[in-house]
Each structure stands twice: as structure tokens, then as C-alpha cells.
Coordinates of all heavy atoms in Angstrom, one line a residue:
M1126 N 0.8 -1.2 0.0 CA 0.0 0.0 0.0 C 0.9 1.2 0.0 O 1.8 1.3 0.8 CB -0.9 0.0 1.2 CG -1.6 1.3 1.4 SD -2.5 1.4 3.0 CE -4.1 1.1 2.4
M1127 N 0.6 2.1 -0.9 CA 1.3 3.4 -0.9 C 0.5 4.5 -0.3 O -0.7 4.6 -0.6 CB 1.7 3.8 -2.4 CG 2.4 5.1 -2.5 SD 2.8 5.5 -4.1 CE 4.2 4.5 -4.4
V1128 N 1.1 5.3 0.5 CA 0.4 6.4 1.1 C 1.2 7.7 0.8 O 2.4 7.7 0.9 CB 0.4 6.3 2.6 CG1 -0.3 7.5 3.3 CG2 -0.4 5.0 3.0
F1129 N 0.5 8.7 0.3 CA 1.2 10.0 0.1 C 0.4 11.1 0.7 O -0.9 11.0 0.7 CB 1.7 10.2 -1.3 CG 0.6 10.5 -2.3 CD1 0.1 11.8 -2.4 CD2 0.1 9.5 -3.1 CE1 -0.8 12.1 -3.4 CE2 -0.8 9.8 -4.0 CZ -1.3 11.1 -4.2
L1130 N 1.0 12.1 1.1 CA 0.3 13.2 1.7 C -0.2 14.2 0.7 O 0.5 14.5 -0.3 CB 1.2 14.0 2.7 CG 1.8 13.1 3.8 CD1 2.7 13.9 4.7 CD2 0.6 12.6 4.7
R1131 N -1.3 14.8 0.9 CA -1.9 15.7 0.0 C -1.4 17.1 0.3 O -1.3 17.5 1.4 CB -3.4 15.7 0.2 CG -4.1 16.4 -0.9 CD -5.6 16.0 -0.8 NE -6.2 16.7 -1.9 CZ -6.9 17.9 -1.8 NH1 -7.1 18.3 -0.6 NH2 -7.3 18.5 -2.8
C1132 N -1.0 17.8 -0.8 CA -0.5 19.2 -0.6 C -1.8 20.1 -0.6 O -2.6 20.0 -1.5 CB 0.4 19.6 -1.8 SG 1.8 18.6 -1.9
I1133 N -1.9 20.9 0.4 CA -3.0 21.8 0.5 C -2.5 23.2 0.2 O -1.7 23.8 1.0 CB -3.7 21.8 1.8 CG1 -4.2 20.4 2.1 CG2 -4.8 22.8 2.0 CD1 -4.7 20.1 3.5
P1134 N -2.9 23.8 -1.0 CA -2.4 25.1 -1.3 C -3.1 26.2 -0.6 O -4.3 26.1 -0.3 CB -2.7 25.2 -2.8 CG -3.9 24.3 -3.0 CD -3.8 23.2 -2.0
F1135 N -2.4 27.3 -0.5 CA -3.0 28.6 0.1 C -2.8 29.6 -1.0 O -1.8 29.7 -1.6 CB -2.4 29.0 1.4 CG -2.7 28.0 2.5 CD1 -1.8 26.9 2.7 CD2 -3.8 28.1 3.2 CE1 -2.1 26.0 3.7 CE2 -4.1 27.2 4.2 CZ -3.3 26.1 4.5
F1136 N -3.8 30.5 -1.1 CA -3.7 31.5 -2.2 C -4.6 32.7 -1.8 O -5.3 32.7 -0.8 CB -4.2 31.0 -3.5 CG -5.5 30.3 -3.5 CD1 -6.7 31.1 -3.7 CD2 -5.7 29.0 -3.3 CE1 -7.9 30.5 -3.7 CE2 -6.9 28.4 -3.2 CZ -8.1 29.2 -3.4
D1137 N -4.4 33.8 -2.6 CA -5.1 35.0 -2.3 C -6.6 34.9 -2.7 O -6.9 34.7 -3.9 CB -4.5 36.1 -3.2 CG -5.1 37.5 -2.9 OD1 -6.0 37.6 -2.1 OD2 -4.6 38.4 -3.5
T1138 N -7.5 34.9 -1.7 CA -8.9 34.7 -2.0 C -9.6 35.9 -2.7 O -10.7 35.8 -3.2 CB -9.7 34.4 -0.7 OG1 -9.4 35.5 0.2 CG2 -9.2 33.1 -0.1
S1139 N -8.9 37.0 -2.8 CA -9.4 38.1 -3.5 C -9.3 38.0 -5.0 O -9.9 38.8 -5.8 CB -8.8 39.5 -3.0 OG -7.4 39.5 -3.4
D1140 N -8.5 37.1 -5.5 CA -8.3 36.8 -6.9 C -9.4 35.9 -7.4 O -9.2 34.7 -7.5 CB -6.9 36.2 -7.2 CG -6.6 36.1 -8.6 OD1 -7.4 36.5 -9.5 OD2 -5.5 35.5 -8.9
H1141 N -10.6 36.5 -7.8 CA -11.7 35.7 -8.1 C -11.6 35.1 -9.6 O -12.4 34.2 -9.9 CB -13.0 36.5 -8.0 CG -13.2 37.0 -6.6 ND1 -13.6 36.1 -5.6 CD2 -13.1 38.2 -6.0 CE1 -13.7 36.8 -4.5 NE2 -13.4 38.1 -4.7
A1142 N -10.8 35.7 -10.4 CA -10.7 35.2 -11.8 C -9.9 33.9 -12.0 O -10.1 33.3 -13.0 CB -10.1 36.3 -12.7
S1143 N -9.1 33.6 -11.0 CA -8.3 32.4 -11.2 C -9.0 31.2 -10.6 O -9.9 31.3 -9.7 CB -6.9 32.6 -10.5 OG -6.2 33.6 -11.1
S1144 N -8.6 30.0 -11.1 CA -9.2 28.8 -10.6 C -8.0 27.9 -10.0 O -7.6 26.9 -10.6 CB -9.9 28.1 -11.7 OG -10.6 27.0 -11.2
Y1145 N -7.5 28.3 -8.9 CA -6.4 27.6 -8.2 C -6.8 26.2 -7.8 O -5.9 25.3 -7.9 CB -5.9 28.4 -7.0 CG -5.3 29.7 -7.4 CD1 -5.9 30.9 -7.1 CD2 -4.1 29.8 -8.1 CE1 -5.4 32.1 -7.4 CE2 -3.5 31.0 -8.5 CZ -4.2 32.2 -8.1 OH -3.7 33.4 -8.4
G1146 N -8.0 26.0 -7.4 CA -8.4 24.6 -7.0 C -8.3 23.7 -8.2 O -7.8 22.6 -8.1
T1147 N -8.8 24.1 -9.4 CA -8.8 23.3 -10.6 C -7.3 23.1 -11.0 O -7.0 21.9 -11.3 CB -9.5 24.0 -11.7 OG1 -10.9 24.1 -11.4 CG2 -9.4 23.2 -13.0
Y1148 N -6.5 24.1 -11.0 CA -5.1 23.9 -11.3 C -4.4 22.9 -10.4 O -3.7 22.1 -10.8 CB -4.4 25.3 -11.2 CG -2.9 25.1 -11.4 CD1 -2.4 25.0 -12.7 CD2 -2.0 25.1 -10.4 CE1 -1.0 24.9 -12.9 CE2 -0.6 24.9 -10.6 CZ -0.1 24.8 -11.8 OH 1.2 24.6 -12.0
N1149 N -4.7 23.0 -9.1 CA -4.1 22.1 -8.2 C -4.5 20.6 -8.4 O -3.7 19.7 -8.4 CB -4.6 22.5 -6.7 CG -3.9 21.6 -5.7 OD1 -2.7 21.3 -5.8 ND2 -4.7 21.3 -4.7
V1150 N -5.8 20.4 -8.8 CA -6.3 19.1 -9.1 C -5.6 18.5 -10.3 O -5.1 17.4 -10.3 CB -7.8 19.0 -9.2 CG1 -8.2 17.6 -9.7 CG2 -8.5 19.3 -7.9
L1151 N -5.5 19.4 -11.3 CA -4.8 18.9 -12.6 C -3.4 18.6 -12.3 O -2.8 17.6 -12.8 CB -4.9 20.0 -13.6 CG -6.3 20.3 -14.2 CD1 -6.3 21.5 -15.1 CD2 -6.9 19.1 -14.9
W1152 N -2.7 19.3 -11.4 CA -1.3 19.1 -11.1 C -1.2 17.7 -10.3 O -0.4 16.9 -10.6 CB -0.7 20.2 -10.2 CG 0.7 20.0 -9.9 CD1 1.8 20.4 -10.6 CD2 1.2 19.3 -8.7 NE1 2.9 20.0 -10.0 CE2 2.6 19.4 -8.8 CE3 0.6 18.7 -7.6 CZ2 3.4 18.8 -7.8 CZ3 1.4 18.2 -6.6 CH2 2.8 18.2 -6.7
Q1153 N -2.1 17.5 -9.4 CA -2.2 16.2 -8.7 C -2.5 15.0 -9.5 O -1.9 13.9 -9.3 CB -3.2 16.3 -7.5 CG -2.8 17.3 -6.4 CD -3.8 17.3 -5.3 OE1 -4.0 16.3 -4.6 NE2 -4.5 18.4 -5.2
I1154 N -3.3 15.2 -10.5 CA -3.6 14.1 -11.5 C -2.3 13.7 -12.2 O -2.0 12.5 -12.3 CB -4.7 14.5 -12.5 CG1 -6.1 14.6 -11.8 CG2 -4.8 13.5 -13.6 CD1 -7.2 15.2 -12.6
E1155 N -1.6 14.7 -12.7 CA -0.4 14.4 -13.4 C 0.7 13.7 -12.4 O 1.4 12.8 -12.8 CB 0.2 15.6 -14.0 CG -0.6 16.1 -15.2 CD -0.7 14.9 -16.3 OE1 0.3 14.3 -16.6 OE2 -1.8 14.7 -16.8
W1156 N 0.7 14.2 -11.2 CA 1.6 13.6 -10.2 C 1.3 12.2 -10.0 O 2.1 11.3 -9.9 CB 1.6 14.4 -9.0 CG 2.6 14.1 -7.9 CD1 3.9 13.6 -8.2 CD2 2.5 14.1 -6.5 NE1 4.6 13.4 -7.0 CE2 3.7 13.7 -6.0 CE3 1.5 14.5 -5.7 CZ2 3.9 13.6 -4.6 CZ3 1.7 14.4 -4.3 CH2 2.9 14.0 -3.8
C1157 N 0.0 11.9 -9.8 CA -0.4 10.5 -9.6 C -0.1 9.6 -10.8 O 0.3 8.5 -10.6 CB -1.9 10.4 -9.3 SG -2.4 11.0 -7.6
R1158 N -0.3 10.1 -12.0 CA 0.0 9.4 -13.2 C 1.5 9.1 -13.2 O 1.9 7.9 -13.6 CB -0.4 10.2 -14.4 CG -1.8 10.1 -14.7 CD -2.2 10.9 -15.9 NE -3.6 10.8 -16.2 CZ -4.3 11.6 -17.0 NH1 -3.7 12.6 -17.6 NH2 -5.6 11.5 -17.1
S1159 N 2.3 10.0 -12.9 CA 3.8 9.8 -12.9 C 4.2 8.7 -11.9 O 5.2 8.1 -12.1 CB 4.5 11.1 -12.6 OG 4.5 11.5 -11.3
L1160 N 3.4 8.5 -10.8 CA 3.7 7.5 -9.8 C 2.9 6.2 -10.1 O 3.0 5.3 -9.3 CB 3.3 8.1 -8.4 CG 4.1 9.3 -7.9 CD1 3.5 9.8 -6.7 CD2 5.6 8.9 -7.8
N1161 N 2.2 6.2 -11.2 CA 1.4 5.0 -11.6 C 0.3 4.7 -10.5 O 0.0 3.5 -10.2 CB 2.3 3.8 -11.9 CG 3.1 4.0 -13.1 OD1 2.6 4.5 -14.1 ND2 4.3 3.6 -13.0
L1162 N -0.2 5.7 -9.9 CA -1.3 5.5 -8.9 C -2.6 5.6 -9.6 O -2.9 6.4 -10.5 CB -1.3 6.6 -7.8 CG 0.0 6.7 -7.0 CD1 0.0 7.9 -6.1 CD2 0.1 5.4 -6.2
P1163 N -3.5 4.6 -9.3 CA -4.8 4.6 -10.1 C -5.9 5.5 -9.6 O -6.8 5.8 -10.3 CB -5.3 3.1 -9.8 CG -4.7 2.8 -8.5 CD -3.3 3.5 -8.4
Y1164 N -5.7 6.1 -8.4 CA -6.8 7.0 -7.9 C -6.2 8.3 -7.3 O -5.0 8.3 -6.8 CB -7.5 6.3 -6.8 CG -8.2 5.0 -7.2 CD1 -7.6 3.8 -6.9 CD2 -9.3 5.0 -8.0 CE1 -8.2 2.6 -7.3 CE2 -9.9 3.9 -8.5 CZ -9.3 2.7 -8.1 OH -9.9 1.5 -8.5
L1165 N -7.0 9.3 -7.2 CA -6.6 10.5 -6.5 C -7.8 10.9 -5.6 O -8.9 11.0 -6.1 CB -6.4 11.7 -7.5 CG -6.2 13.1 -6.9 CD1 -5.0 13.1 -6.0 CD2 -6.1 14.1 -8.0
Y1166 N -7.5 11.1 -4.4 CA -8.5 11.5 -3.4 C -8.4 13.0 -3.3 O -7.4 13.6 -2.9 CB -8.2 10.9 -2.0 CG -9.1 11.3 -1.0 CD1 -10.5 11.0 -1.0 CD2 -8.7 12.0 0.2 CE1 -11.4 11.4 0.0 CE2 -9.5 12.4 1.1 CZ -10.9 12.2 1.1 OH -11.7 12.6 2.0
L1167 N -9.5 13.7 -3.7 CA -9.6 15.1 -3.7 C -9.9 15.7 -2.3 O -10.0 16.9 -2.2 CB -10.6 15.6 -4.7 CG -10.3 15.2 -6.1 CD1 -11.4 15.8 -7.0 CD2 -9.0 15.7 -6.6
G1168 N -10.1 14.9 -1.3 CA -10.5 15.4 0.0 C -12.0 15.5 0.1 O -12.7 15.2 -0.8
Y1169 N -12.5 16.0 1.2 CA -13.9 16.1 1.4 C -14.5 17.1 0.6 O -13.8 18.0 0.1 CB -14.2 16.2 2.9 CG -13.9 17.6 3.5 CD1 -14.8 18.6 3.5 CD2 -12.6 17.9 4.0 CE1 -14.5 19.9 4.0 CE2 -12.3 19.1 4.5 CZ -13.2 20.1 4.5 OH -12.9 21.3 5.0
W1170 N -15.8 17.0 0.4 CA -16.6 17.9 -0.5 C -17.9 18.2 0.2 O -18.6 17.3 0.7 CB -16.8 17.3 -1.9 CG -17.7 18.0 -2.8 CD1 -17.5 19.2 -3.4 CD2 -19.0 17.6 -3.2 NE1 -18.6 19.5 -4.1 CE2 -19.5 18.5 -4.0 CE3 -19.8 16.4 -2.9 CZ2 -20.8 18.4 -4.6 CZ3 -21.0 16.3 -3.5 CH2 -21.5 17.3 -4.4
V1171 N -18.2 19.5 0.2 CA -19.5 19.9 0.8 C -20.4 20.4 -0.4 O -20.0 21.4 -1.1 CB -19.3 21.0 1.9 CG1 -20.7 21.5 2.4 CG2 -18.4 20.5 3.0
E1172 N -21.5 19.8 -0.6 CA -22.3 20.0 -1.8 C -22.6 21.5 -2.0 O -22.5 22.0 -3.1 CB -23.6 19.2 -1.7 CG -24.4 19.4 -3.0 CD -25.7 18.5 -2.9 OE1 -25.9 17.9 -1.8 OE2 -26.4 18.4 -3.9
K1173 N -23.0 22.2 -1.0 CA -23.4 23.6 -1.2 C -22.3 24.6 -1.0 O -22.6 25.8 -0.9 CB -24.6 23.9 -0.3 CG -25.8 23.0 -0.7 CD -27.0 23.3 0.2 CE -28.1 22.3 -0.3 NZ -29.4 22.6 0.0
S1174 N -21.1 24.2 -0.9 CA -20.0 25.1 -0.7 C -19.4 25.6 -2.0 O -19.0 24.8 -2.9 CB -18.8 24.4 0.1 OG -17.7 25.2 0.0
Q1175 N -19.5 26.9 -2.2 CA -19.0 27.5 -3.5 C -17.5 27.3 -3.6 O -17.0 27.1 -4.7 CB -19.4 29.0 -3.5 CG -19.1 29.7 -4.8 CD -19.9 29.1 -6.0 OE1 -21.0 28.6 -5.8 NE2 -19.4 29.2 -7.1
K1176 N -16.8 27.3 -2.5 CA -15.3 27.1 -2.5 C -15.0 25.7 -3.0 O -13.9 25.5 -3.5 CB -14.8 27.3 -1.1 CG -14.8 28.7 -0.7 CD -14.2 28.8 0.7 CE -14.3 30.2 1.2 NZ -13.7 30.4 2.5
M1177 N -15.8 24.7 -2.9 CA -15.5 23.3 -3.2 C -16.2 22.9 -4.6 O -16.0 21.8 -5.0 CB -15.9 22.4 -2.1 CG -15.2 22.6 -0.9 SD -15.7 21.3 0.3 CE -14.6 21.7 1.7
A1178 N -16.9 23.9 -5.2 CA -17.6 23.5 -6.4 C -16.8 23.0 -7.5 O -17.2 22.2 -8.4 CB -18.5 24.7 -6.9
Y1179 N -15.5 23.5 -7.6 CA -14.6 23.0 -8.7 C -14.4 21.5 -8.7 O -14.1 20.9 -9.8 CB -13.3 23.7 -8.6 CG -12.4 23.3 -7.4 CD1 -11.5 22.3 -7.6 CD2 -12.6 23.9 -6.2 CE1 -10.7 21.8 -6.5 CE2 -11.8 23.5 -5.1 CZ -10.9 22.4 -5.3 OH -10.1 22.0 -4.2
K1180 N -14.6 20.8 -7.6 CA -14.4 19.4 -7.5 C -15.4 18.6 -8.4 O -15.2 17.5 -8.8 CB -14.4 18.9 -6.1 CG -13.2 19.4 -5.3 CD -13.2 18.9 -3.9 CE -12.1 19.5 -3.1 NZ -12.0 18.9 -1.7
Q1181 N -16.6 19.3 -8.6 CA -17.6 18.6 -9.4 C -17.2 18.5 -10.9 O -17.9 17.8 -11.6 CB -18.9 19.5 -9.3 CG -19.4 19.5 -7.9 CD -20.6 20.5 -7.8 OE1 -21.6 20.3 -8.6 NE2 -20.6 21.4 -6.9
N1182 N -16.2 19.2 -11.3 CA -15.8 19.2 -12.7 C -14.9 18.0 -13.0 O -14.5 17.8 -14.2 CB -15.0 20.5 -13.0 CG -15.9 21.7 -12.9 OD1 -17.1 21.7 -13.2 ND2 -15.3 22.8 -12.5
F1183 N -14.6 17.2 -12.1 CA -13.7 16.0 -12.3 C -14.6 14.8 -12.1 O -15.3 14.6 -11.2 CB -12.5 16.1 -11.3 CG -11.7 17.3 -11.6 CD1 -11.9 18.4 -10.8 CD2 -10.7 17.2 -12.5 CE1 -11.1 19.5 -11.1 CE2 -9.9 18.3 -12.8 CZ -10.1 19.5 -12.1
A1184 N -14.4 13.8 -13.1 CA -15.2 12.6 -13.1 C -14.2 11.4 -13.3 O -13.2 11.6 -13.9 CB -16.2 12.7 -14.1
P1185 N -14.6 10.3 -12.8 CA -15.8 10.0 -12.1 C -15.6 10.4 -10.6 O -14.6 10.3 -10.1 CB -16.0 8.5 -12.2 CG -14.6 8.0 -12.4 CD -13.8 9.1 -13.1
L1186 N -16.7 10.9 -10.0 CA -16.7 11.3 -8.6 C -17.3 10.1 -7.8 O -18.3 9.5 -8.3 CB -17.5 12.5 -8.4 CG -16.9 13.8 -8.8 CD1 -18.0 14.9 -8.6 CD2 -15.7 14.1 -8.1
Q1187 N -16.7 9.9 -6.7 CA -17.3 8.8 -5.8 C -17.4 9.4 -4.4 O -16.6 10.3 -4.0 CB -16.4 7.6 -5.8 CG -16.3 6.9 -7.1 CD -15.4 5.6 -7.0 OE1 -14.6 5.5 -6.1 NE2 -15.7 4.7 -7.9
G1188 N -18.3 8.9 -3.6 CA -18.5 9.2 -2.2 C -18.5 8.0 -1.4 O -18.9 6.9 -1.8
L1189 N -18.1 8.1 -0.1 CA -18.1 7.0 0.8 C -19.3 7.0 1.6 O -19.6 8.0 2.4 CB -16.8 7.1 1.7 CG -16.6 5.9 2.6 CD1 -16.3 4.6 1.8 CD2 -15.4 6.2 3.6
F1190 N -20.2 6.1 1.4 CA -21.5 6.0 2.1 C -21.6 4.6 2.8 O -21.5 3.6 2.2 CB -22.7 6.1 1.1 CG -22.8 7.4 0.4 CD1 -22.3 7.6 -0.9 CD2 -23.3 8.5 1.1 CE1 -22.3 8.8 -1.5 CE2 -23.4 9.7 0.4 CZ -22.9 9.9 -0.9
R1191 N -21.7 4.7 4.1 CA -21.8 3.5 4.9 C -20.7 2.5 4.6 O -20.9 1.3 4.5 CB -23.2 2.9 4.7 CG -24.3 3.7 5.2 CD -25.7 3.1 5.1 NE -26.6 4.1 5.5 CZ -27.9 3.9 5.4 NH1 -28.4 2.8 4.8 NH2 -28.8 4.8 5.8
G1192 N -19.5 3.1 4.5 CA -18.3 2.2 4.3 C -18.1 1.7 2.9 O -17.1 1.0 2.7
E1193 N -18.9 2.2 1.9 CA -18.7 1.7 0.6 C -18.6 2.9 -0.4 O -19.3 3.9 -0.3 CB -19.9 0.9 0.1 CG -19.9 -0.5 0.8 CD -21.0 -1.4 0.2 OE1 -21.2 -1.3 -1.0 OE2 -21.6 -2.1 1.0
W1194 N -17.6 2.8 -1.3 CA -17.4 3.9 -2.3 C -18.5 3.7 -3.4 O -18.7 2.7 -4.0 CB -16.1 3.8 -3.0 CG -15.0 4.3 -2.0 CD1 -14.2 3.5 -1.3 CD2 -14.7 5.6 -1.7 NE1 -13.4 4.3 -0.5 CE2 -13.7 5.6 -0.7 CE3 -15.2 6.9 -2.1 CZ2 -13.1 6.7 -0.2 CZ3 -14.6 8.0 -1.5 CH2 -13.6 8.0 -0.6
Q1195 N -19.2 4.8 -3.7 CA -20.3 4.8 -4.7 C -20.2 6.0 -5.6 O -19.7 7.1 -5.2 CB -21.7 4.9 -4.0 CG -21.9 3.7 -3.1 CD -23.2 3.8 -2.3 OE1 -24.1 4.5 -2.7 NE2 -23.4 3.1 -1.2
K1196 N -20.6 5.8 -6.9 CA -20.5 6.9 -7.8 C -21.5 8.0 -7.4 O -22.6 7.8 -7.0 CB -20.9 6.4 -9.2 CG -19.8 5.7 -9.9 CD -20.1 5.4 -11.3 CE -19.0 4.7 -12.0 NZ -19.2 4.5 -13.4
L1197 N -21.1 9.3 -7.6 CA -21.9 10.4 -7.4 C -22.4 10.9 -8.8 O -21.7 11.6 -9.4 CB -21.2 11.5 -6.6 CG -20.6 11.2 -5.3 CD1 -19.8 12.4 -4.7 CD2 -21.7 10.8 -4.3
S1198 N -23.5 10.4 -9.2 CA -23.9 10.7 -10.5 C -24.9 11.8 -10.7 O -25.2 12.3 -11.8 CB -24.5 9.5 -11.2 OG -25.5 9.0 -10.4
N1199 N -25.5 12.2 -9.6 CA -26.6 13.3 -9.7 C -26.2 14.6 -9.2 O -26.9 15.3 -8.5 CB -27.8 12.8 -8.9 CG -28.4 11.5 -9.4 OD1 -28.4 11.3 -10.6 ND2 -29.0 10.7 -8.6
I1200 N -25.0 15.0 -9.5 CA -24.5 16.3 -9.0 C -24.8 17.4 -10.1 O -24.5 17.2 -11.2 CB -23.0 16.2 -8.8 CG1 -22.7 15.3 -7.6 CG2 -22.4 17.6 -8.4 CD1 -21.3 15.0 -7.3

């Protein structure tokens, strides 16, 4: 089992035109590919949080419900 720590970026929240969350996920996807990892965990997601809305742009999305990973298809 391989474990790696997730990098959590900090940035200027007044810069509304940039999409740092999306850039960060794209960077992590490439990093996982370079390590031949089959999955990337994006961290928790709150459905009504505008700050976390960028995570909905990546598929397939899965959520852990009652101990089982399930597709989130109705987002």
C-alpha cells in the first residue's frame, strides 16, 4: 500500500478570476500518473460550498457511504 500526503495550497482569495483549485487538481492528477497511482483522493466535499464547487468538474466522482465507495452521478 502506498500512502502519500496531499498538498493543500493557500492563495489570495481576492483573486476571483483564477481557478487555483482546478489547477491544483490537474497538477495532482499528473503527479499520480507519474507515480502510476490509479486513484486521486480530492479530499472532502460539501455540496453547497461554493469554494468546493470546482471538484464537481472532475469525473468519475465517488463518495463513501456507509463504508462503501459509490458513484456520485446526480451532481
